[in-house]
Amino acid sequence: MAILFSIAIMASFLYFFHRRRSCKHPVLRDYPILGMLPPLLFNLWRIHDFSTELLKKHGASGDFLGPWFTKMNYFITCDYLNVQHILCKSFDNYIKGPEFREIFEPFGDGVVTADSETWKYFRTILHSLIKQRRFEAFVDKTVQKKVLTSLLPILDHVQKQGKVVDLQDVFNRFTFDNMCSTIVGHDPNCLSIDFPEVAIERAFNESEESIFYRHTVPRTVWKFQKWLQIGQEKKMTEACRTFDEYIYSCIASRREELRKFSKEEMEEAPFDLLTALITHERGCVHDDKFLRDGAFNFFVAGRETMTSALTWFSWLITKHPLVEAKILEEIQEKFKADQVVLGMEDVKKLVYLHGALCEALRLFPPVPIERKQAIKADTLPSGHRVQANTMILFSLYAMGRCEEIWGKDYLEFKPERWISERGEIIYAPAYKFIAFNAGPRICLGKDLAFLQMKMVAAAILRKYRFQVVEGHVTAPGHSIILLMKNGLKATIIKRQT
Protein backbone atom coordinates (compact mmCIF):
# COMPACT_ATOMS: atom_id res chain seq x y z
CA MET A 1 0.00 0.00 0.00
CA ALA A 2 2.83 2.34 0.92
CA ILE A 3 4.54 1.56 -2.40
CA LEU A 4 1.37 2.40 -4.37
CA PHE A 5 0.98 5.63 -2.41
CA SER A 6 4.59 6.56 -3.15
CA ILE A 7 4.11 5.82 -6.84
CA ALA A 8 0.97 7.96 -6.90
CA ILE A 9 2.82 10.84 -5.20
CA MET A 10 5.73 10.53 -7.63
CA ALA A 11 3.40 10.37 -10.65
CA SER A 12 1.54 13.44 -9.42
CA PHE A 13 4.81 15.30 -8.92
CA LEU A 14 6.05 14.39 -12.41
CA TYR A 15 2.74 15.38 -14.01
CA PHE A 16 2.75 18.69 -12.12
CA PHE A 17 6.34 19.31 -13.24
CA HIS A 18 5.34 18.47 -16.84
CA ARG A 19 2.47 20.95 -16.70
CA ARG A 20 4.77 23.66 -15.37
CA ARG A 21 7.24 23.11 -18.20
CA SER A 22 4.61 22.89 -20.96
CA CYS A 23 2.70 25.96 -19.72
CA LYS A 24 5.10 28.78 -20.55
CA HIS A 25 2.65 31.68 -20.22
CA PRO A 26 0.27 30.94 -17.30
CA VAL A 27 -2.36 33.56 -16.51
CA LEU A 28 -3.12 32.11 -13.06
CA ARG A 29 -1.50 29.97 -10.40
CA ASP A 30 -1.67 26.26 -11.30
CA TYR A 31 -2.87 24.35 -8.22
CA PRO A 32 -2.24 20.60 -7.84
CA ILE A 33 -5.14 18.51 -9.18
CA LEU A 34 -7.49 21.51 -9.56
CA GLY A 35 -5.30 23.48 -11.96
CA MET A 36 -6.31 27.13 -12.44
CA LEU A 37 -10.02 26.45 -11.92
CA PRO A 38 -10.37 27.69 -8.27
CA PRO A 39 -9.70 31.40 -8.95
CA LEU A 40 -11.87 31.21 -12.07
CA LEU A 41 -14.83 29.86 -10.11
CA PHE A 42 -14.20 32.37 -7.31
CA ASN A 43 -14.47 35.20 -9.87
CA LEU A 44 -17.22 33.67 -11.99
CA TRP A 45 -19.65 36.39 -10.89
CA ARG A 46 -17.40 38.94 -12.68
CA ILE A 47 -15.82 36.64 -15.22
CA HIS A 48 -15.52 39.12 -18.10
CA ASP A 49 -13.87 41.89 -16.06
CA PHE A 50 -11.69 39.28 -14.35
CA SER A 51 -10.55 37.93 -17.73
CA THR A 52 -9.85 41.47 -18.94
CA GLU A 53 -7.66 42.16 -15.90
CA LEU A 54 -5.73 38.91 -16.40
CA LEU A 55 -5.09 39.55 -20.08
CA LYS A 56 -3.91 43.11 -19.45
CA LYS A 57 -1.58 41.86 -16.71
CA HIS A 58 -0.08 39.18 -18.96
CA GLY A 59 0.41 41.14 -22.17
CA ALA A 60 -2.96 40.29 -23.81
CA SER A 61 -2.32 36.52 -24.14
CA GLY A 62 -1.59 33.44 -22.01
CA ASP A 63 -2.42 29.86 -21.06
CA PHE A 64 -5.23 28.61 -18.84
CA LEU A 65 -4.97 25.05 -17.50
CA GLY A 66 -8.01 23.33 -16.03
CA PRO A 67 -8.06 20.40 -13.58
CA TRP A 68 -5.60 17.61 -14.27
CA PHE A 69 -6.50 15.08 -16.97
CA THR A 70 -9.37 17.20 -18.30
CA LYS A 71 -9.63 19.05 -21.60
CA MET A 72 -10.13 22.46 -19.97
CA ASN A 73 -6.83 23.77 -21.30
CA TYR A 74 -7.01 26.97 -23.36
CA PHE A 75 -4.86 29.63 -24.93
CA ILE A 76 -6.64 32.94 -24.27
CA THR A 77 -6.01 36.26 -25.99
CA CYS A 78 -7.34 39.74 -26.70
CA ASP A 79 -4.48 40.71 -29.01
CA TYR A 80 -6.15 42.05 -32.16
CA LEU A 81 -3.23 40.90 -34.34
CA ASN A 82 -3.72 37.35 -33.05
CA VAL A 83 -7.44 37.66 -33.75
CA GLN A 84 -6.78 38.93 -37.28
CA HIS A 85 -4.38 36.02 -37.86
CA ILE A 86 -6.85 33.41 -36.57
CA LEU A 87 -10.04 34.74 -38.16
CA CYS A 88 -8.70 36.20 -41.38
CA LYS A 89 -5.16 35.40 -42.49
CA SER A 90 -5.03 31.74 -41.37
CA PHE A 91 -8.77 31.07 -41.44
CA ASP A 92 -8.44 27.52 -42.80
CA ASN A 93 -6.24 26.43 -39.87
CA TYR A 94 -8.73 27.44 -37.18
CA ILE A 95 -12.09 25.70 -36.96
CA LYS A 96 -15.01 25.36 -34.58
CA GLY A 97 -14.22 21.66 -34.19
CA PRO A 98 -16.16 18.66 -32.84
CA GLU A 99 -15.89 19.73 -29.19
CA PHE A 100 -17.46 23.08 -30.03
CA ARG A 101 -20.38 21.36 -31.76
CA GLU A 102 -20.77 19.06 -28.75
CA ILE A 103 -20.95 21.97 -26.31
CA PHE A 104 -23.25 23.97 -28.60
CA GLU A 105 -25.48 20.93 -29.12
CA PRO A 106 -28.76 22.86 -29.62
CA PHE A 107 -27.30 24.63 -32.68
CA GLY A 108 -27.05 21.35 -34.60
CA ASP A 109 -25.13 21.64 -37.90
CA GLY A 110 -26.12 25.22 -38.64
CA VAL A 111 -23.96 28.06 -39.88
CA VAL A 112 -22.70 28.92 -36.36
CA THR A 113 -21.23 25.49 -35.58
CA ALA A 114 -20.49 23.93 -38.98
CA ASP A 115 -17.04 23.76 -40.56
CA SER A 116 -15.66 23.23 -44.05
CA GLU A 117 -18.08 22.41 -46.90
CA THR A 118 -21.20 22.25 -44.70
CA TRP A 119 -20.51 25.76 -43.44
CA LYS A 120 -19.80 27.08 -46.95
CA TYR A 121 -23.02 25.57 -48.30
CA PHE A 122 -25.15 26.98 -45.48
CA ARG A 123 -23.54 30.40 -45.69
CA THR A 124 -23.95 30.61 -49.47
CA ILE A 125 -27.68 29.93 -49.18
CA LEU A 126 -28.18 32.43 -46.34
CA HIS A 127 -26.13 35.07 -48.14
CA SER A 128 -28.27 34.81 -51.27
CA LEU A 129 -31.47 35.09 -49.20
CA ILE A 130 -30.46 37.96 -46.93
CA LYS A 131 -29.22 40.08 -49.80
CA GLN A 132 -32.54 39.89 -51.62
CA ARG A 133 -34.46 43.15 -51.59
CA ARG A 134 -37.68 41.21 -51.03
CA PHE A 135 -36.35 39.80 -47.75
CA GLU A 136 -35.18 43.20 -46.50
CA ALA A 137 -38.57 44.71 -47.36
CA PHE A 138 -40.32 41.93 -45.43
CA VAL A 139 -38.12 42.54 -42.37
CA ASP A 140 -38.66 46.31 -42.63
CA LYS A 141 -42.44 45.89 -42.68
CA THR A 142 -42.34 43.31 -39.83
CA VAL A 143 -40.31 45.54 -37.51
CA GLN A 144 -42.40 48.64 -38.19
CA LYS A 145 -45.61 46.72 -37.50
CA LYS A 146 -44.28 45.25 -34.24
CA VAL A 147 -43.08 48.62 -32.99
CA LEU A 148 -46.42 50.28 -33.81
CA THR A 149 -48.78 47.56 -32.57
CA SER A 150 -46.88 46.18 -29.57
CA LEU A 151 -43.75 47.97 -28.37
CA LEU A 152 -44.94 51.58 -28.22
CA PRO A 153 -48.45 50.77 -26.89
CA ILE A 154 -46.99 48.66 -24.09
CA LEU A 155 -44.44 51.29 -23.11
CA ASP A 156 -47.25 53.85 -23.13
CA HIS A 157 -49.36 51.58 -20.91
CA VAL A 158 -46.50 51.06 -18.43
CA GLN A 159 -45.78 54.79 -18.38
CA LYS A 160 -49.39 55.69 -17.63
CA GLN A 161 -49.51 53.09 -14.85
CA GLY A 162 -46.31 54.48 -13.34
CA LYS A 163 -44.89 50.98 -13.03
CA VAL A 164 -41.31 49.78 -12.97
CA VAL A 165 -40.51 47.66 -16.02
CA ASP A 166 -37.60 45.41 -16.92
CA LEU A 167 -36.43 46.90 -20.22
CA GLN A 168 -34.30 43.86 -20.97
CA ASP A 169 -37.41 41.68 -20.72
CA VAL A 170 -39.27 44.10 -23.01
CA PHE A 171 -36.49 44.00 -25.61
CA ASN A 172 -36.16 40.23 -25.26
CA ARG A 173 -39.87 39.74 -25.92
CA PHE A 174 -39.87 42.23 -28.78
CA THR A 175 -36.91 40.61 -30.55
CA PHE A 176 -38.27 37.11 -29.96
CA ASP A 177 -41.61 38.00 -31.56
CA ASN A 178 -39.80 39.82 -34.33
CA MET A 179 -37.48 36.89 -35.08
CA CYS A 180 -40.34 34.38 -34.98
CA SER A 181 -42.19 36.48 -37.55
CA THR A 182 -39.07 36.91 -39.67
CA ILE A 183 -37.95 33.27 -39.51
CA VAL A 184 -41.08 31.12 -39.34
CA GLY A 185 -43.80 33.64 -40.19
CA HIS A 186 -45.54 33.30 -36.82
CA ASP A 187 -45.81 35.91 -34.04
CA PRO A 188 -46.15 34.22 -30.60
CA ASN A 189 -47.06 37.59 -28.99
CA CYS A 190 -44.60 37.38 -26.11
CA LEU A 191 -44.73 41.16 -25.94
CA SER A 192 -48.21 41.68 -24.54
CA ILE A 193 -49.53 43.88 -21.73
CA ASP A 194 -49.80 40.91 -19.34
CA PHE A 195 -46.20 39.81 -20.13
CA PRO A 196 -47.11 36.11 -20.52
CA GLU A 197 -44.61 33.34 -19.98
CA VAL A 198 -44.02 31.63 -23.33
CA ALA A 199 -42.48 28.17 -23.19
CA ILE A 200 -40.49 28.46 -26.42
CA GLU A 201 -38.96 31.79 -25.35
CA ARG A 202 -37.97 30.37 -21.95
CA ALA A 203 -36.48 27.30 -23.65
CA PHE A 204 -34.09 29.43 -25.70
CA ASN A 205 -32.90 31.25 -22.56
CA GLU A 206 -32.33 28.01 -20.65
CA SER A 207 -30.39 26.40 -23.49
CA GLU A 208 -28.02 29.38 -23.60
CA GLU A 209 -27.45 29.23 -19.83
CA SER A 210 -26.69 25.51 -20.15
CA ILE A 211 -24.14 26.13 -22.91
CA PHE A 212 -22.39 28.67 -20.66
CA TYR A 213 -22.39 26.09 -17.85
CA ARG A 214 -20.68 23.56 -20.15
CA HIS A 215 -17.85 26.07 -20.58
CA THR A 216 -17.26 26.39 -16.83
CA VAL A 217 -16.99 22.74 -15.75
CA PRO A 218 -14.94 19.76 -17.03
CA ARG A 219 -16.53 17.83 -19.88
CA THR A 220 -16.80 14.69 -17.72
CA VAL A 221 -18.95 16.59 -15.20
CA TRP A 222 -21.60 17.86 -17.60
CA LYS A 223 -21.51 14.59 -19.56
CA PHE A 224 -22.23 12.67 -16.35
CA GLN A 225 -25.07 15.07 -15.50
CA LYS A 226 -26.47 14.62 -18.98
CA TRP A 227 -26.39 10.83 -18.59
CA LEU A 228 -28.19 11.08 -15.23
CA GLN A 229 -30.46 13.86 -16.51
CA ILE A 230 -29.90 16.11 -13.52
CA GLY A 231 -29.13 19.79 -12.91
CA GLN A 232 -28.43 22.11 -15.80
CA GLU A 233 -28.28 19.21 -18.27
CA LYS A 234 -31.85 18.22 -17.50
CA LYS A 235 -32.89 21.80 -18.27
CA MET A 236 -30.95 21.60 -21.54
CA THR A 237 -32.75 18.41 -22.60
CA GLU A 238 -36.17 19.84 -21.77
CA ALA A 239 -35.38 23.10 -23.55
CA CYS A 240 -34.22 21.26 -26.69
CA ARG A 241 -37.41 19.22 -26.71
CA THR A 242 -39.56 22.36 -26.39
CA PHE A 243 -38.03 24.39 -29.19
CA ASP A 244 -37.63 21.35 -31.46
CA GLU A 245 -41.35 20.64 -31.18
CA TYR A 246 -42.06 24.29 -32.01
CA ILE A 247 -39.71 24.57 -34.98
CA TYR A 248 -40.63 21.18 -36.50
CA SER A 249 -44.34 21.99 -36.24
CA CYS A 250 -43.67 25.30 -38.04
CA ILE A 251 -41.77 23.44 -40.77
CA ALA A 252 -44.57 20.92 -41.25
CA SER A 253 -47.30 23.55 -41.45
CA ARG A 254 -45.25 25.75 -43.78
CA ARG A 255 -44.56 22.87 -46.18
CA GLU A 256 -48.27 22.10 -46.22
CA GLU A 257 -49.19 25.74 -46.91
CA LEU A 258 -46.68 26.12 -49.71
CA ARG A 259 -48.02 23.06 -51.53
CA LYS A 260 -51.24 25.02 -52.08
CA PHE A 261 -49.53 28.00 -53.74
CA SER A 262 -49.11 28.26 -57.49
CA LYS A 263 -45.85 29.60 -58.90
CA GLU A 264 -47.45 33.01 -59.50
CA GLU A 265 -48.91 33.14 -55.99
CA MET A 266 -45.51 32.34 -54.46
CA GLU A 267 -44.24 35.73 -55.62
CA GLU A 268 -46.80 37.38 -53.35
CA ALA A 269 -46.35 35.04 -50.36
CA PRO A 270 -44.69 36.36 -47.15
CA PHE A 271 -40.93 36.01 -47.49
CA ASP A 272 -39.96 34.70 -44.06
CA LEU A 273 -36.69 32.78 -43.78
CA LEU A 274 -38.30 29.34 -43.51
CA THR A 275 -40.34 29.92 -46.66
CA ALA A 276 -37.22 31.19 -48.41
CA LEU A 277 -35.18 28.12 -47.40
CA ILE A 278 -37.88 25.71 -48.56
CA THR A 279 -38.51 27.47 -51.87
CA HIS A 280 -34.77 27.89 -52.46
CA GLU A 281 -34.26 24.12 -52.76
CA ARG A 282 -34.03 24.18 -56.56
CA GLY A 283 -34.08 20.44 -57.00
CA CYS A 284 -32.08 19.76 -53.82
CA VAL A 285 -34.67 18.95 -51.18
CA HIS A 286 -33.53 20.00 -47.70
CA ASP A 287 -34.69 17.70 -44.96
CA ASP A 288 -36.43 19.00 -41.84
CA LYS A 289 -33.23 18.74 -39.79
CA PHE A 290 -31.44 21.11 -42.18
CA LEU A 291 -34.32 23.59 -41.94
CA ARG A 292 -34.50 23.22 -38.14
CA ASP A 293 -30.77 23.92 -37.72
CA GLY A 294 -30.92 26.88 -40.09
CA ALA A 295 -33.90 28.40 -38.25
CA PHE A 296 -32.38 27.88 -34.79
CA ASN A 297 -29.04 29.44 -35.72
CA PHE A 298 -30.75 32.46 -37.24
CA PHE A 299 -32.98 32.77 -34.16
CA VAL A 300 -30.05 33.05 -31.77
CA ALA A 301 -27.88 35.23 -34.00
CA GLY A 302 -30.64 37.74 -34.73
CA ARG A 303 -32.47 37.80 -31.44
CA GLU A 304 -29.57 38.00 -29.01
CA THR A 305 -27.66 40.73 -30.81
CA MET A 306 -30.64 43.05 -30.63
CA THR A 307 -31.68 42.23 -27.06
CA SER A 308 -28.18 42.61 -25.65
CA ALA A 309 -27.28 45.71 -27.68
CA LEU A 310 -30.54 47.57 -26.99
CA THR A 311 -30.38 46.78 -23.26
CA TRP A 312 -26.80 47.99 -22.72
CA PHE A 313 -27.40 50.93 -25.09
CA SER A 314 -30.45 52.02 -23.06
CA TRP A 315 -28.49 51.81 -19.81
CA LEU A 316 -25.56 53.78 -21.24
CA ILE A 317 -27.95 56.46 -22.51
CA THR A 318 -29.34 56.97 -19.00
CA LYS A 319 -25.78 57.51 -17.77
CA HIS A 320 -24.87 59.99 -20.52
CA PRO A 321 -27.59 62.67 -20.93
CA LEU A 322 -25.48 64.73 -23.37
CA VAL A 323 -25.27 61.76 -25.73
CA GLU A 324 -29.01 61.22 -25.36
CA ALA A 325 -29.65 64.88 -26.24
CA LYS A 326 -27.56 64.62 -29.42
CA ILE A 327 -29.32 61.42 -30.49
CA LEU A 328 -32.71 63.01 -29.86
CA GLU A 329 -31.77 66.11 -31.87
CA GLU A 330 -30.73 63.94 -34.81
CA ILE A 331 -33.90 61.82 -34.62
CA GLN A 332 -36.18 64.88 -34.52
CA GLU A 333 -34.49 66.26 -37.64
CA LYS A 334 -35.28 63.07 -39.57
CA PHE A 335 -38.84 62.39 -38.37
CA LYS A 336 -41.76 63.91 -40.22
CA ALA A 337 -44.53 65.41 -38.10
CA ASP A 338 -46.93 62.52 -38.72
CA GLN A 339 -44.29 59.76 -38.68
CA VAL A 340 -44.22 57.39 -35.69
CA VAL A 341 -41.70 54.82 -36.90
CA LEU A 342 -38.81 55.40 -39.28
CA GLY A 343 -38.27 52.83 -42.02
CA MET A 344 -34.95 51.25 -42.95
CA GLU A 345 -34.13 53.82 -45.60
CA ASP A 346 -34.81 56.63 -43.12
CA VAL A 347 -32.61 55.28 -40.30
CA LYS A 348 -29.62 54.98 -42.63
CA LYS A 349 -29.32 58.75 -42.16
CA LEU A 350 -29.01 58.50 -38.35
CA VAL A 351 -25.22 58.69 -38.10
CA TYR A 352 -24.87 59.71 -34.45
CA LEU A 353 -27.29 56.99 -33.32
CA HIS A 354 -25.23 54.49 -35.33
CA GLY A 355 -22.10 55.63 -33.50
CA ALA A 356 -23.80 55.28 -30.12
CA LEU A 357 -24.88 51.72 -30.94
CA CYS A 358 -21.33 50.91 -32.05
CA GLU A 359 -20.07 52.15 -28.68
CA ALA A 360 -22.57 49.96 -26.84
CA LEU A 361 -21.48 46.95 -28.91
CA ARG A 362 -17.79 47.76 -28.36
CA LEU A 363 -18.11 47.93 -24.57
CA PHE A 364 -20.70 45.16 -24.26
CA PRO A 365 -20.43 42.75 -27.24
CA PRO A 366 -23.44 40.36 -27.34
CA VAL A 367 -21.10 37.35 -27.68
CA PRO A 368 -18.28 38.22 -25.23
CA ILE A 369 -16.07 35.18 -25.91
CA GLU A 370 -15.26 33.38 -29.18
CA ARG A 371 -13.73 29.92 -29.42
CA LYS A 372 -11.54 28.27 -32.08
CA GLN A 373 -9.43 25.12 -32.42
CA ALA A 374 -6.10 24.91 -34.27
CA ILE A 375 -5.78 22.13 -36.87
CA LYS A 376 -1.99 22.41 -37.20
CA ALA A 377 0.70 23.93 -34.97
CA ASP A 378 1.18 27.62 -35.61
CA THR A 379 3.03 30.69 -34.34
CA LEU A 380 0.84 33.71 -33.62
CA PRO A 381 1.85 37.34 -34.27
CA SER A 382 2.33 37.78 -30.50
CA GLY A 383 5.10 35.15 -30.69
CA HIS A 384 3.13 32.49 -28.84
CA ARG A 385 3.31 28.95 -30.20
CA VAL A 386 0.05 26.97 -30.36
CA GLN A 387 0.12 23.24 -30.90
CA ALA A 388 -2.28 21.22 -33.05
CA ASN A 389 -5.73 20.86 -31.45
CA THR A 390 -5.10 23.77 -29.08
CA MET A 391 -8.33 25.39 -27.91
CA ILE A 392 -8.19 29.16 -28.30
CA LEU A 393 -10.49 31.63 -26.58
CA PHE A 394 -10.43 35.30 -27.47
CA SER A 395 -12.24 37.82 -25.34
CA LEU A 396 -14.30 40.29 -27.35
CA TYR A 397 -15.18 41.99 -24.06
CA ALA A 398 -11.49 42.61 -23.26
CA MET A 399 -10.81 43.80 -26.82
CA GLY A 400 -13.40 46.55 -26.37
CA ARG A 401 -11.36 47.73 -23.38
CA CYS A 402 -7.97 47.64 -25.06
CA GLU A 403 -6.06 50.93 -25.02
CA GLU A 404 -3.93 49.86 -27.99
CA ILE A 405 -7.05 49.66 -30.17
CA TRP A 406 -9.25 52.45 -28.80
CA GLY A 407 -6.87 54.88 -27.11
CA LYS A 408 -6.63 56.17 -23.55
CA ASP A 409 -10.34 57.03 -23.49
CA TYR A 410 -11.33 53.39 -24.14
CA LEU A 411 -13.68 53.31 -21.14
CA GLU A 412 -15.63 56.37 -22.30
CA PHE A 413 -18.98 56.04 -24.04
CA LYS A 414 -18.09 58.25 -26.98
CA PRO A 415 -20.13 57.97 -30.21
CA GLU A 416 -17.90 60.64 -31.77
CA ARG A 417 -15.09 58.11 -32.19
CA TRP A 418 -17.19 56.53 -34.97
CA ILE A 419 -17.91 59.74 -36.89
CA SER A 420 -15.56 61.45 -39.34
CA GLU A 421 -15.09 65.22 -39.74
CA ARG A 422 -17.40 65.01 -42.76
CA GLY A 423 -20.14 63.54 -40.56
CA GLU A 424 -19.89 60.00 -41.94
CA ILE A 425 -19.53 56.66 -40.17
CA ILE A 426 -15.97 55.47 -39.60
CA TYR A 427 -15.79 51.72 -40.18
CA ALA A 428 -13.22 50.07 -37.90
CA PRO A 429 -11.64 46.81 -39.12
CA ALA A 430 -13.78 43.84 -38.08
CA TYR A 431 -10.86 42.17 -36.28
CA LYS A 432 -10.72 45.21 -33.94
CA PHE A 433 -14.45 45.91 -33.64
CA ILE A 434 -15.41 42.27 -33.45
CA ALA A 435 -18.99 42.32 -32.19
CA PHE A 436 -20.09 40.76 -35.51
CA ASN A 437 -17.08 38.42 -35.91
CA ALA A 438 -14.47 38.92 -38.65
CA GLY A 439 -13.03 37.28 -41.75
CA PRO A 440 -15.05 34.76 -43.80
CA ARG A 441 -17.34 34.15 -40.81
CA ILE A 442 -18.36 37.78 -40.36
CA CYS A 443 -22.06 38.06 -39.53
CA LEU A 444 -24.21 38.08 -42.67
CA GLY A 445 -26.97 40.01 -40.92
CA LYS A 446 -24.78 42.82 -39.52
CA ASP A 447 -26.23 45.62 -41.65
CA LEU A 448 -29.77 44.36 -41.18
CA ALA A 449 -29.25 44.18 -37.40
CA PHE A 450 -28.04 47.79 -37.25
CA LEU A 451 -31.04 48.99 -39.26
CA GLN A 452 -33.50 47.18 -36.98
CA MET A 453 -31.82 48.44 -33.80
CA LYS A 454 -31.88 52.01 -35.12
CA MET A 455 -35.57 51.70 -36.02
CA VAL A 456 -36.42 50.53 -32.48
CA ALA A 457 -34.16 53.00 -30.66
CA ALA A 458 -35.36 55.97 -32.71
CA ALA A 459 -39.05 55.15 -32.20
CA ILE A 460 -38.61 54.77 -28.43
CA LEU A 461 -36.29 57.70 -27.72
CA ARG A 462 -38.47 60.11 -29.66
CA LYS A 463 -41.36 59.47 -27.25
CA TYR A 464 -39.79 58.35 -23.96
CA ARG A 465 -36.80 58.52 -21.69
CA PHE A 466 -35.80 55.97 -19.09
CA GLN A 467 -34.82 56.33 -15.45
CA VAL A 468 -33.08 53.33 -13.90
CA VAL A 469 -34.45 52.38 -10.48
CA GLU A 470 -32.24 53.71 -7.69
CA GLY A 471 -29.91 51.04 -6.34
CA HIS A 472 -30.47 48.68 -9.26
CA VAL A 473 -27.31 46.66 -9.92
CA THR A 474 -26.38 46.09 -13.56
CA ALA A 475 -23.99 43.19 -14.13
CA PRO A 476 -23.49 40.58 -16.87
CA GLY A 477 -25.38 37.32 -16.35
CA HIS A 478 -24.08 33.76 -16.70
CA SER A 479 -24.86 32.99 -20.31
CA ILE A 480 -23.07 32.74 -23.65
CA ILE A 481 -24.83 36.04 -24.45
CA LEU A 482 -23.94 39.24 -22.60
CA LEU A 483 -27.26 40.02 -20.97
CA MET A 484 -27.84 41.76 -17.64
CA LYS A 485 -28.09 39.33 -14.74
CA ASN A 486 -30.81 41.34 -12.95
CA GLY A 487 -32.39 42.82 -16.03
CA LEU A 488 -32.68 46.61 -16.47
CA LYS A 489 -35.35 47.88 -14.07
CA ALA A 490 -36.52 51.37 -14.95
CA THR A 491 -39.44 53.77 -15.00
CA ILE A 492 -40.61 55.30 -18.28
CA ILE A 493 -41.11 59.05 -18.63
CA LYS A 494 -42.97 60.53 -21.58
CA ARG A 495 -41.20 63.36 -23.37
CA GLN A 496 -42.90 66.72 -23.67
CA THR A 497 -43.96 67.37 -27.27
Side-chain angles (χ1 to χ4, degrees), residues 285-349:
V285 178
H286 298 137
D287 61 22
D288 287 359
K289 175 68 164 56
F290 177 91
L291 298 174
R292 177 262 176 219
D293 291 347
F296 184 91
N297 280 249
F298 207 80
F299 253 119
V300 177
R303 172 194 175 218
E304 303 302 356
T305 298
M306 285 189 64
T307 298
S308 174
L310 288 171
T311 301
W312 290 106
F313 166 80
S314 298
W315 176 69
L316 287 165
I317 290 299
T318 66
K319 299 294 182 183
H320 299 84
L322 291 179
V323 172
E324 181 182 26
K326 289 182 180 180
I327 293 173
L328 190 60
E329 181 182 357
E330 181 183 56
I331 291 171
Q332 290 173 335
E333 288 177 359
K334 303 298 187 248
F335 267 98
K336 297 175 184 175
D338 59 345
Q339 201 171 8
V340 181
V341 182
L342 290 175
M344 284 187 175
E345 286 302 316
D346 298 315
V347 297
K348 289 177 181 178
K349 304 170 187 174

Side-chain angles (χ1 to χ4, degrees), residues 112-161:
V112 173
T113 56
D115 284 313
S116 191
E117 296 306 315
T118 303
W119 166 76
K120 289 179 182 177
Y121 178 68
F122 225 128
R123 189 175 176 88
T124 299
I125 291 176
L126 290 176
H127 184 267
S128 67
L129 296 176
I130 290 173
K131 294 302 178 182
Q132 289 188 42
R133 176 59 190 157
R134 187 181 171 196
F135 182 69
E136 183 178 308
F138 174 71
V139 174
D140 189 1
K141 183 179 178 180
T142 300
V143 175
Q144 288 196 53
K145 180 181 178 182
K146 194 66 188 176
V147 171
L148 278 169
T149 61
S150 294
L151 182 59
L152 293 180
I154 284 171
L155 291 178
D156 197 54
H157 173 77
V158 171
Q159 182 269 323
K160 288 177 180 177
Q161 296 291 317

